[in-house]
Amino acid sequence: MTDDLRRRFEQVYAVHHAAILGYALRRAGNADDAADVIAETFLTAWRRLDEMPPGPQARLWLYGVARRVLANHHRGERRRSELTGRLCADLAAWQPPEYTGDLAAIAAAFARLGDAQRELLALTAWEGLDHGQIAVVLGCSRNAVRIRLHRARRQLAAELADTAGRPRAGGLNGAHA
């Protein structure tokens, strides 16, 4: 971009920024949304500087750009709101399973594990991922996954033993997990 075009953009920005900011603030839901509208409006102006009319007509052109940016923003907000409503309805209808017997004991033991251990076991059992895939998800090595998974399984077994009221096999007390 030449210095002349850069100077023209800077001049347009300096002259019209306050007017476009006021336009966006009066129409956006909040200051953050208005800032996004301003940024997108002037980014469009930068990209299409050769299409922008000179002089006072530039302000009107910028209003038109800001108007379209706001329309896109409002459409996106409506879509997000509709999606949120659908997801909330789906989640409200979902009920966690109620376990009895052995499944209740397993669920209780699983719940007592640490977050990292539960995530490892869930990625393996529920998501069906292998060690390499889990390593990618967690951002660690396959070997680290193998070791952590071994410890998590051992800790789950110890928790199950506690749930069943049996002494822990091998004297595990969770200190090594």
Side-chain angles (χ1 to χ4, degrees), residues 104-155:
I106 293 168
F110 184 77
R112 286 193 303 272
L113 296 176
D115 290 342
Q117 290 176 325
R118 280 195 313 269
E119 182 65 10
L120 267 170
L121 293 171
L123 287 170
T124 301
W126 296 343
E127 309 309 328
L129 302 182
D130 65 28
H131 292 177
Q133 293 167 324
I134 294 171
V136 171
V137 170
L138 299 180
C140 63
S141 70
R142 283 178 64 102
N143 196 44
V145 168
R146 187 183 59 76
I147 292 167
R148 292 174 190 172
L149 193 54
H150 172 75
R151 290 177 180 166
R153 286 176 175 149
R154 197 171 66 190
Q155 184 64 34

Side-chain angles (χ1 to χ4, degrees), residues 19-47:
I20 303 303
L21 175 60
Y23 178 90
L25 283 169
R26 287 184 288 277
R27 286 161 178 82
N30 57 55
D32 290 336
D33 290 347
D36 290 343
V37 169
I38 291 296
E40 186 65 29
T41 298
F42 281 102
L43 178 61
T44 300
W46 174 259
R47 290 179 179 156

Side-chain angles (χ1 to χ4, degrees), residues 6-172:
R6 185 180 52 80
R7 277 193 292 277
R8 178 168 182 236
F9 176 80
E10 288 172 352
Q11 180 183 16
V12 165
Y13 183 86
V15 169
H16 300 295
H17 177 263
I20 303 303
L21 175 60
Y23 178 90
L25 283 169
R26 287 184 288 277
R27 286 161 178 82
N30 57 55
D32 290 336
D33 290 347
D36 290 343
V37 169
I38 291 296
E40 186 65 29
T41 298
F42 281 102
L43 178 61
T44 300
W46 174 259
R47 290 179 179 156
R48 298 177 55 199
L49 193 56
D50 56 335
E51 298 173 33
M52 186 186 309
Q57 293 297 316
R59 181 170 56 103
L60 302 177
W61 186 86
L62 288 167
Y63 280 146
V65 171
R67 183 176 160 275
R68 287 184 291 282
V69 169
L70 274 163
N72 288 339
H73 174 76
H74 290 310
R75 269 192 301 278
E77 286 293 316
R78 277 193 303 275
R79 277 190 229 115
R80 280 187 290 281
S81 179
E82 290 168 5
L83 177 59
T84 299
R86 284 195 309 266
L87 289 173
C88 286
D90 290 348
L91 291 173
W94 182 81
Q95 294 294 320
E98 291 188 29
Y99 300 115
T100 59
D102 287 344
L103 287 178
I106 293 168
F110 184 77
R112 286 193 303 272
L113 296 176
D115 290 342
Q117 290 176 325
R118 280 195 313 269
E119 182 65 10
L120 267 170
L121 293 171
L123 287 170
T124 301
W126 296 343
E127 309 309 328
L129 302 182
D130 65 28
H131 292 177
Q133 293 167 324
I134 294 171
V136 171
V137 170
L138 299 180
C140 63
S141 70
R142 283 178 64 102
N143 196 44
V145 168
R146 187 183 59 76
I147 292 167
R148 292 174 190 172
L149 193 54
H150 172 75
R151 290 177 180 166
R153 286 176 175 149
R154 197 171 66 190
Q155 184 64 34
L156 179 61
E159 293 295 338
L160 282 168
D162 283 352
T163 300
R166 296 183 308 243
R168 290 183 176 189
L172 285 178

